[in-house]
Coordinates of all heavy atoms in Angstrom, one line a residue:
M1057 N -15.1 7.6 10.5 CA -14.2 8.4 9.7 C -13.5 7.6 8.7 O -12.9 6.6 9.0 CB -13.2 9.1 10.6 CG -12.3 10.1 9.9 SD -11.5 11.2 11.1 CE -9.9 10.5 11.1
I1058 N -13.5 7.9 7.4 CA -12.8 7.2 6.4 C -11.3 7.7 6.3 O -11.1 8.9 6.2 CB -13.5 7.3 5.0 CG1 -14.9 6.7 5.2 CG2 -12.7 6.7 3.9 CD1 -15.8 6.9 3.9
D1059 N -10.4 6.7 6.2 CA -9.0 7.0 6.1 C -8.7 7.5 4.7 O -9.1 6.8 3.7 CB -8.2 5.7 6.5 CG -6.8 5.9 6.4 OD1 -6.2 6.1 5.3 OD2 -6.2 6.0 7.5
K1060 N -8.0 8.6 4.6 CA -7.7 9.1 3.2 C -6.7 8.2 2.5 O -6.8 8.1 1.2 CB -7.0 10.5 3.4 CG -8.0 11.6 4.0 CD -8.9 12.0 2.9 CE -9.8 13.1 3.5 NZ -10.8 13.5 2.6
N1061 N -5.8 7.5 3.1 CA -5.0 6.6 2.5 C -5.7 5.4 1.9 O -5.5 4.9 0.8 CB -3.8 6.1 3.4 CG -2.9 7.2 3.7 OD1 -2.5 8.0 2.9 ND2 -2.4 7.2 4.9
Y1062 N -6.8 4.9 2.6 CA -7.6 3.9 2.1 C -8.4 4.3 0.9 O -8.5 3.6 -0.1 CB -8.5 3.4 3.2 CG -9.4 2.2 2.8 CD1 -8.9 0.9 2.6 CD2 -10.8 2.4 2.5 CE1 -9.7 -0.1 2.2 CE2 -11.6 1.4 2.1 CZ -11.0 0.1 1.9 OH -11.8 -0.9 1.5
E1063 N -8.9 5.5 1.0 CA -9.7 6.1 -0.2 C -8.7 6.2 -1.4 O -9.2 5.8 -2.5 CB -10.2 7.5 0.1 CG -11.5 7.5 0.9 CD -12.0 8.9 1.1 OE1 -11.4 9.9 0.7 OE2 -13.1 9.0 1.7
F1064 N -7.5 6.6 -1.2 CA -6.5 6.7 -2.3 C -6.3 5.3 -2.9 O -6.3 5.1 -4.1 CB -5.2 7.3 -1.8 CG -4.1 7.2 -2.7 CD1 -4.0 8.2 -3.7 CD2 -3.1 6.2 -2.7 CE1 -2.9 8.2 -4.7 CE2 -2.1 6.2 -3.6 CZ -2.0 7.1 -4.6
F1065 N -6.1 4.3 -2.0 CA -5.9 2.9 -2.4 C -7.1 2.4 -3.3 O -6.9 1.8 -4.3 CB -5.7 2.0 -1.2 CG -5.8 0.6 -1.5 CD1 -4.8 -0.1 -2.3 CD2 -6.8 -0.2 -1.0 CE1 -4.9 -1.4 -2.5 CE2 -6.9 -1.5 -1.2 CZ -5.9 -2.2 -2.0
M1066 N -8.3 2.7 -2.8 CA -9.5 2.2 -3.5 C -9.7 2.8 -4.9 O -10.2 2.2 -5.8 CB -10.7 2.4 -2.7 CG -10.7 1.5 -1.4 SD -10.5 -0.2 -1.7 CE -12.1 -0.6 -2.5
K1067 N -9.2 4.0 -5.1 CA -9.5 4.7 -6.4 C -8.3 4.7 -7.3 O -8.4 5.2 -8.5 CB -10.0 6.1 -6.2 CG -9.0 7.1 -5.6 CD -9.6 8.4 -5.4 CE -8.5 9.4 -4.8 NZ -9.1 10.7 -4.5
T1068 N -7.1 4.2 -6.9 CA -5.9 4.3 -7.7 C -5.7 3.0 -8.4 O -5.9 1.9 -7.9 CB -4.7 4.6 -6.8 OG1 -5.0 5.8 -6.1 CG2 -3.4 4.7 -7.6
D1069 N -5.2 3.1 -9.7 CA -4.9 1.9 -10.5 C -3.6 1.3 -9.9 O -2.5 2.0 -9.9 CB -4.7 2.3 -11.9 CG -4.2 1.2 -12.8 OD1 -4.2 0.0 -12.4 OD2 -3.8 1.5 -13.9
M1070 N -3.7 0.2 -9.3 CA -2.5 -0.5 -8.7 C -2.0 -1.6 -9.6 O -1.2 -2.5 -9.1 CB -2.9 -1.1 -7.4 CG -3.3 0.0 -6.3 SD -1.8 0.8 -5.8 CE -2.6 1.9 -4.6
S1071 N -2.3 -1.6 -10.9 CA -1.9 -2.7 -11.8 C -0.4 -2.8 -11.9 O 0.1 -3.9 -12.2 CB -2.6 -2.6 -13.1 OG -2.2 -1.4 -13.8
H1072 N 0.4 -1.8 -11.7 CA 1.8 -1.9 -11.7 C 2.4 -2.6 -10.5 O 3.6 -2.9 -10.5 CB 2.4 -0.5 -11.8 CG 2.2 0.2 -13.1 ND1 1.1 1.1 -13.3 CD2 2.8 0.1 -14.3 CE1 1.1 1.5 -14.5 NE2 2.1 1.0 -15.2
Y1073 N 1.6 -2.9 -9.5 CA 2.1 -3.4 -8.3 C 1.5 -4.8 -8.0 O 1.6 -5.3 -6.9 CB 1.7 -2.5 -7.1 CG 2.3 -1.1 -7.3 CD1 1.6 -0.1 -7.8 CD2 3.7 -0.9 -6.9 CE1 2.1 1.2 -7.9 CE2 4.2 0.4 -7.1 CZ 3.5 1.4 -7.6 OH 4.0 2.6 -7.7
L1074 N 1.0 -5.5 -9.0 CA 0.4 -6.8 -8.8 C 1.4 -7.8 -8.1 O 2.5 -7.9 -8.5 CB 0.0 -7.5 -10.1 CG -1.2 -6.7 -10.9 CD1 -1.5 -7.4 -12.2 CD2 -2.4 -6.6 -10.0
G1075 N 0.9 -8.4 -7.0 CA 1.7 -9.3 -6.3 C 2.7 -8.7 -5.3 O 3.5 -9.4 -4.7
K1076 N 2.7 -7.4 -5.2 CA 3.7 -6.7 -4.4 C 3.0 -6.1 -3.2 O 1.8 -5.9 -3.1 CB 4.3 -5.5 -5.2 CG 5.0 -5.8 -6.4 CD 6.3 -6.5 -6.2 CE 7.1 -6.7 -7.5 NZ 8.3 -7.4 -7.3
W1077 N 3.8 -5.8 -2.1 CA 3.4 -5.1 -1.0 C 3.5 -3.6 -1.3 O 4.5 -3.2 -1.9 CB 4.2 -5.5 0.3 CG 3.9 -6.8 0.8 CD1 4.5 -8.0 0.5 CD2 2.8 -7.1 1.7 NE1 3.8 -9.0 1.1 CE2 2.8 -8.5 1.9 CE3 1.8 -6.4 2.3 CZ2 1.9 -9.2 2.7 CZ3 0.9 -7.0 3.2 CH2 1.0 -8.4 3.3
V1078 N 2.6 -2.8 -0.8 CA 2.6 -1.4 -1.1 C 2.3 -0.6 0.2 O 1.4 -1.0 1.0 CB 1.5 -1.0 -2.1 CG1 1.4 0.5 -2.3 CG2 1.8 -1.7 -3.5
A1079 N 3.1 0.4 0.5 CA 2.8 1.3 1.6 C 2.3 2.7 1.1 O 2.9 3.2 0.1 CB 4.1 1.5 2.4
I1080 N 1.3 3.2 1.7 CA 0.7 4.5 1.3 C 0.7 5.4 2.5 O 0.3 5.0 3.6 CB -0.7 4.3 0.8 CG1 -0.7 3.3 -0.5 CG2 -1.4 5.6 0.4 CD1 -2.1 2.9 -0.9
C1081 N 1.2 6.6 2.3 CA 1.2 7.6 3.3 C 0.9 9.0 2.6 O 1.4 9.3 1.6 CB 2.5 7.7 4.0 SG 2.6 8.7 5.4
D1082 N 0.0 9.8 3.3 CA -0.3 11.1 2.7 C -0.8 11.0 1.3 O -0.5 11.8 0.4 CB 0.8 12.1 2.8 CG 1.2 12.4 4.2 OD1 0.3 12.4 5.1 OD2 2.4 12.7 4.5
E1083 N -1.6 9.9 1.0 CA -2.2 9.7 -0.3 C -1.2 9.5 -1.4 O -1.4 10.0 -2.5 CB -3.3 10.8 -0.6 CG -4.4 10.8 0.5 CD -5.4 11.9 0.2 OE1 -6.1 11.8 -0.7 OE2 -5.4 12.9 1.0
K1084 N -0.1 8.9 -1.1 CA 1.0 8.6 -2.1 C 1.5 7.2 -1.8 O 1.7 6.8 -0.6 CB 2.1 9.6 -1.9 CG 1.8 11.1 -2.2 CD 3.0 11.9 -2.0 CE 2.5 13.4 -2.0 NZ 3.4 14.3 -1.3
I1085 N 1.9 6.5 -2.8 CA 2.6 5.3 -2.7 C 4.1 5.7 -2.4 O 4.8 6.3 -3.2 CB 2.6 4.4 -4.0 CG1 1.1 4.1 -4.2 CG2 3.4 3.2 -3.8 CD1 0.9 3.5 -5.6
I1086 N 4.5 5.3 -1.2 CA 5.9 5.7 -0.8 C 6.9 4.5 -0.8 O 8.1 4.7 -0.7 CB 5.8 6.3 0.6 CG1 5.3 5.4 1.7 CG2 5.1 7.6 0.6 CD1 5.5 5.9 3.1
S1087 N 6.4 3.3 -0.9 CA 7.3 2.1 -0.9 C 6.5 0.9 -1.5 O 5.3 0.8 -1.3 CB 7.8 1.8 0.5 OG 8.7 0.8 0.5
S1088 N 7.3 0.1 -2.1 CA 6.7 -1.2 -2.6 C 7.8 -2.2 -2.8 O 9.0 -1.9 -2.9 CB 6.0 -1.0 -4.0 OG 7.0 -0.7 -5.0
G1089 N 7.4 -3.5 -2.7 CA 8.3 -4.6 -2.8 C 7.7 -5.9 -2.5 O 6.5 -6.0 -2.3
D1090 N 8.6 -6.9 -2.4 CA 8.1 -8.3 -2.2 C 8.0 -8.6 -0.7 O 7.4 -9.6 -0.4 CB 9.1 -9.3 -2.9 CG 9.1 -9.2 -4.4 OD1 8.0 -9.0 -4.9 OD2 10.1 -9.3 -5.0
S1091 N 8.7 -7.9 0.1 CA 8.7 -8.2 1.6 C 7.9 -7.1 2.3 O 8.2 -5.9 2.3 CB 10.1 -8.1 2.1 OG 10.2 -8.1 3.5
A1092 N 6.9 -7.6 3.1 CA 6.0 -6.7 3.9 C 6.9 -6.0 4.9 O 6.7 -4.8 5.1 CB 4.9 -7.5 4.5
K1093 N 7.8 -6.7 5.5 CA 8.6 -6.1 6.6 C 9.5 -5.0 6.0 O 9.6 -3.9 6.6 CB 9.5 -7.2 7.2 CG 10.4 -6.7 8.3 CD 11.2 -7.8 9.0 CE 12.0 -7.2 10.1 NZ 12.9 -8.3 10.7
K1094 N 10.1 -5.2 4.9 CA 11.0 -4.2 4.3 C 10.2 -3.0 3.8 O 10.7 -1.9 4.0 CB 11.8 -4.8 3.1 CG 12.9 -5.8 3.6 CD 13.7 -6.3 2.4 CE 14.7 -7.3 3.0 NZ 15.5 -7.9 1.9
V1095 N 9.1 -3.2 3.2 CA 8.2 -2.1 2.7 C 7.8 -1.3 3.9 O 7.8 -0.1 3.9 CB 7.0 -2.7 1.9 CG1 6.0 -1.6 1.6 CG2 7.5 -3.3 0.6
F1096 N 7.3 -1.9 5.0 CA 6.9 -1.2 6.2 C 8.0 -0.4 6.8 O 7.9 0.7 7.2 CB 6.2 -2.2 7.2 CG 5.6 -1.4 8.3 CD1 4.4 -0.8 8.2 CD2 6.2 -1.4 9.6 CE1 3.9 -0.1 9.2 CE2 5.7 -0.8 10.6 CZ 4.5 -0.1 10.5
E1097 N 9.2 -1.0 6.9 CA 10.4 -0.3 7.5 C 10.7 0.9 6.7 O 11.0 1.9 7.2 CB 11.5 -1.3 7.6 CG 11.4 -2.3 8.7 CD 12.5 -3.4 8.7 OE1 13.3 -3.5 7.8 OE2 12.5 -4.2 9.7
D1098 N 10.7 0.7 5.4 CA 11.0 1.9 4.5 C 10.0 3.0 4.6 O 10.3 4.1 4.7 CB 11.1 1.4 3.0 CG 11.5 2.4 2.1 OD1 12.5 3.2 2.4 OD2 10.9 2.5 1.0
A1099 N 8.7 2.6 4.7 CA 7.6 3.5 4.9 C 7.8 4.3 6.2 O 7.5 5.5 6.2 CB 6.3 2.8 4.8
K1100 N 8.1 3.6 7.3 CA 8.3 4.3 8.6 C 9.4 5.3 8.6 O 9.4 6.3 9.2 CB 8.5 3.2 9.7 CG 7.2 2.5 10.1 CD 6.1 3.3 10.4 CE 6.2 4.0 11.8 NZ 5.1 4.8 12.2
K1101 N 10.5 5.0 7.8 CA 11.6 5.9 7.6 C 11.1 7.2 6.9 O 11.5 8.3 7.2 CB 12.7 5.3 6.9 CG 13.5 4.3 7.7 CD 14.6 3.7 6.8 CE 15.2 2.5 7.6 NZ 16.2 1.8 6.7
K1102 N 10.3 7.0 5.9 CA 9.8 8.1 5.1 C 8.7 8.9 5.7 O 8.5 10.1 5.5 CB 9.3 7.6 3.7 CG 10.5 7.1 2.9 CD 10.0 6.5 1.6 CE 11.2 6.0 0.7 NZ 10.7 5.3 -0.5
C1103 N 7.9 8.3 6.6 CA 6.8 8.9 7.3 C 6.9 8.5 8.8 O 6.0 7.8 9.3 CB 5.4 8.5 6.7 SG 5.0 9.2 5.2
P1104 N 7.9 9.0 9.5 CA 8.2 8.5 10.8 C 7.1 8.8 11.9 O 6.9 8.0 12.8 CB 9.5 9.2 11.2 CG 9.6 10.4 10.4 CD 8.9 10.0 9.1
N1105 N 6.3 9.8 11.7 CA 5.3 10.2 12.7 C 3.9 9.9 12.2 O 3.0 10.4 12.8 CB 5.4 11.7 13.0 CG 6.8 12.0 13.6 OD1 7.3 11.2 14.4 ND2 7.4 13.1 13.2
K1106 N 3.8 9.0 11.2 CA 2.5 8.7 10.7 C 2.3 7.2 10.6 O 3.3 6.4 10.7 CB 2.3 9.3 9.4 CG 2.3 10.8 9.4 CD 2.0 11.4 8.1 CE 2.0 13.0 8.3 NZ 1.7 13.7 7.1
K1107 N 1.1 6.7 10.4 CA 0.8 5.3 10.3 C 0.5 5.0 8.8 O -0.6 5.2 8.4 CB -0.3 4.9 11.2 CG -0.6 3.4 11.2 CD -1.7 3.0 12.2 CE -2.0 1.6 12.1 NZ -3.1 1.2 13.0
P1108 N 1.5 4.5 8.1 CA 1.2 4.2 6.7 C 0.2 3.0 6.5 O 0.2 2.1 7.4 CB 2.6 3.9 6.1 CG 3.4 3.4 7.2 CD 2.8 4.1 8.4
L1109 N -0.5 3.0 5.4 CA -1.3 1.9 5.1 C -0.5 0.9 4.3 O 0.2 1.2 3.4 CB -2.5 2.3 4.2 CG -3.4 1.2 3.6 CD1 -4.2 0.5 4.6 CD2 -4.3 1.8 2.5
L1110 N -0.4 -0.4 4.8 CA 0.3 -1.4 4.2 C -0.6 -2.5 3.7 O -1.5 -3.0 4.4 CB 1.3 -2.1 5.2 CG 2.2 -3.2 4.7 CD1 3.2 -2.6 3.7 CD2 2.9 -3.9 5.9
T1111 N -0.5 -2.8 2.4 CA -1.4 -3.8 1.8 C -0.7 -4.5 0.7 O 0.3 -4.0 0.1 CB -2.7 -3.1 1.2 OG1 -3.6 -4.1 0.8 CG2 -2.4 -2.2 0.1
K1112 N -1.1 -5.8 0.4 CA -0.6 -6.5 -0.7 C -1.6 -6.5 -1.8 O -2.8 -6.7 -1.7 CB -0.4 -8.0 -0.3 CG 0.3 -8.8 -1.4 CD 0.9 -10.1 -1.0 CE 1.7 -10.7 -2.1 NZ 2.2 -12.0 -1.8
I1113 N -1.1 -6.1 -3.0 CA -1.9 -6.1 -4.2 C -2.0 -7.5 -4.7 O -1.0 -8.1 -5.1 CB -1.3 -5.1 -5.2 CG1 -1.0 -3.7 -4.6 CG2 -2.2 -4.9 -6.4 CD1 -2.1 -3.0 -3.9
P1114 N -3.2 -8.0 -4.8 CA -3.4 -9.4 -5.3 C -3.0 -9.6 -6.7 O -3.0 -8.6 -7.5 CB -4.9 -9.7 -5.1 CG -5.5 -8.4 -4.8 CD -4.5 -7.4 -4.5
E1115 N -2.6 -10.8 -7.1 CA -2.3 -11.1 -8.4 C -3.5 -11.0 -9.3 O -4.6 -11.0 -8.7 CB -1.7 -12.6 -8.5 CG -0.4 -12.8 -7.8 CD 0.8 -12.3 -8.5 OE1 0.7 -12.0 -9.8 OE2 1.8 -12.1 -7.9
K1116 N -3.4 -10.9 -10.5 CA -4.6 -10.7 -11.4 C -5.6 -11.8 -11.3 O -6.8 -11.6 -11.3 CB -4.1 -10.7 -12.9 CG -5.2 -10.3 -13.8 CD -4.6 -10.1 -15.2 CE -5.7 -9.6 -16.2 NZ -5.2 -9.3 -17.5
D1117 N -5.2 -13.1 -11.1 CA -6.1 -14.2 -11.0 C -6.5 -14.6 -9.6 O -7.1 -15.6 -9.4 CB -5.4 -15.4 -11.7 CG -5.2 -15.2 -13.2 OD1 -6.0 -14.4 -13.8 OD2 -4.3 -15.7 -13.7
T1118 N -6.2 -13.7 -8.6 CA -6.6 -14.1 -7.2 C -8.0 -13.9 -7.0 O -8.6 -12.9 -7.4 CB -5.8 -13.1 -6.3 OG1 -4.4 -13.3 -6.5 CG2 -6.1 -13.4 -4.8
M1119 N -8.6 -14.9 -6.3 CA -10.1 -14.8 -5.9 C -10.1 -14.3 -4.5 O -9.4 -14.8 -3.6 CB -10.7 -16.2 -6.0 CG -11.4 -16.5 -7.2 SD -12.2 -18.1 -6.9 CE -13.5 -18.0 -8.0
I1120 N -10.9 -13.3 -4.3 CA -11.1 -12.7 -3.0 C -12.6 -13.1 -2.5 O -13.5 -12.8 -3.2 CB -10.9 -11.2 -3.0 CG1 -9.5 -10.9 -3.4 CG2 -11.2 -10.6 -1.6 CD1 -9.1 -9.5 -3.6
F1121 N -12.7 -13.7 -1.4 CA -14.0 -14.1 -0.8 C -14.4 -13.1 0.2 O -13.7 -12.5 0.9 CB -13.9 -15.5 -0.2 CG -13.6 -16.5 -1.2 CD1 -12.3 -16.9 -1.4 CD2 -14.6 -17.1 -1.9 CE1 -12.0 -17.9 -2.3 CE2 -14.3 -18.1 -2.8 CZ -13.0 -18.5 -3.0

């Protein structure tokens, strides 16, 4: 089963969030920032009964292996 939040992440332009942590819930970006902990805590407040997707958007020049 494919997660809808992951699908949203894969097809959405995240260029405004380069180098930031992003939390996605219900196919929406609900929080972003420099601290994974703060972004996740904020996301849990906004979606208390759900498991948000937390990911860091790589910098433009980041190589992914």
Side-chain angles (χ1 to χ4, degrees):
M1057 185 165 103
I1058 297 176
D1059 183 287
K1060 295 285 185 185
N1061 291 322
Y1062 181 74
E1063 281 185 353
F1064 173 81
F1065 166 68
M1066 292 303 294
K1067 68 181 181 183
T1068 301
D1069 176 14
M1070 296 286 181
S1071 61
H1072 290 96
Y1073 301 98
L1074 296 179
K1076 302 285 185 187
W1077 286 94
V1078 173
I1080 300 169
C1081 187
D1082 294 332
E1083 300 177 70
K1084 296 177 193 158
I1085 298 170
I1086 59 168
S1087 184
S1088 67
D1090 295 320
S1091 167
K1093 182 178 179 181
K1094 288 180 182 177
V1095 170
F1096 186 74
E1097 288 171 350
D1098 186 44
K1100 287 305 287 179
K1101 288 178 188 172
K1102 293 177 180 175
C1103 288
N1105 299 321
K1106 298 185 180 183
K1107 185 177 176 185
L1109 172 68
L1110 181 68
T1111 187
K1112 185 165 186 182
I1113 309 304
E1115 296 285 343
K1116 187 175 184 176
D1117 296 328
T1118 301
M1119 265 186 154
I1120 300 174
F1121 296 92

